[in-house]
């Protein structure tokens, strides 16, 4: 988490507190998204049938929806590819 904007001298105390809160909340949510994405990559790395608007950064590694052959051939590689 990057919590540094609250130290800017031109912010008053309330603005600095708001910046600290936003930095913490956004950092925490980004961390949770990474955990959920990696969990999904391990347990169910299959793309959805419809387009996802805000997919996490692991989604591009997922296998095509409905492609059983690709699933069987590549599931172990996808489950372990966390580079």
């Amino acid at each position: 988490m990057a919590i540094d904007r609250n130290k800017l001298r031109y912010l008053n105390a309330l603005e600095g507190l708001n910046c600290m809160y936003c930095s913490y909340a956004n950092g925490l949510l980004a961390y949770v998204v990474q955990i959920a994405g990696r969990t999904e990559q391990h347990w169910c790395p299959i793309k959805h049938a419809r387009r996802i608007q805000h997919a996490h950064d692991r989604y591009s590694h997922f296998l095509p929806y409905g492609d059983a052959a690709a699933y069987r051939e590549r599931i172990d590689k996808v489950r372990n590819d966390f580079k």
Side-chain angles (χ1 to χ4, degrees):
M1 290 185 216
I3 301 177
D4 56 0
R5 293 181 289 195
N6 60 306
K7 296 175 185 171
L8 292 169
R9 292 180 164 254
Y10 57 85
L11 299 177
N12 65 35
L14 184 57
E15 292 168 333
L17 183 63
N18 288 338
C19 281
M20 191 167 43
Y21 170 77
C22 288
S23 295
Y24 176 78
N26 283 300
L28 181 63
L29 291 173
Y31 181 66
V32 169
V33 167
Q34 283 298 315
I35 291 171
R38 288 169 183 258
T39 301
E40 185 179 18
Q41 181 177 346
H42 180 78
W43 291 109
C44 190
I46 301 168
K47 292 182 179 177
H48 293 279
R50 63 182 181 85
R51 186 176 177 273
I52 301 299
Q53 284 186 336
H54 302 289
H56 52 76
D57 65 346
R58 307 305 306 165
Y59 193 74
S60 63
H61 299 270
F62 286 17
L63 299 163
Y65 181 86
D67 190 344
Y71 180 81
R72 293 293 167 213
E73 289 173 15
R74 298 175 35 213
I75 185 65
D76 291 329
K77 182 182 182 318
V78 172
R79 280 186 173 160
N80 297 305
D81 185 19
F82 288 105
K83 296 178 199 161

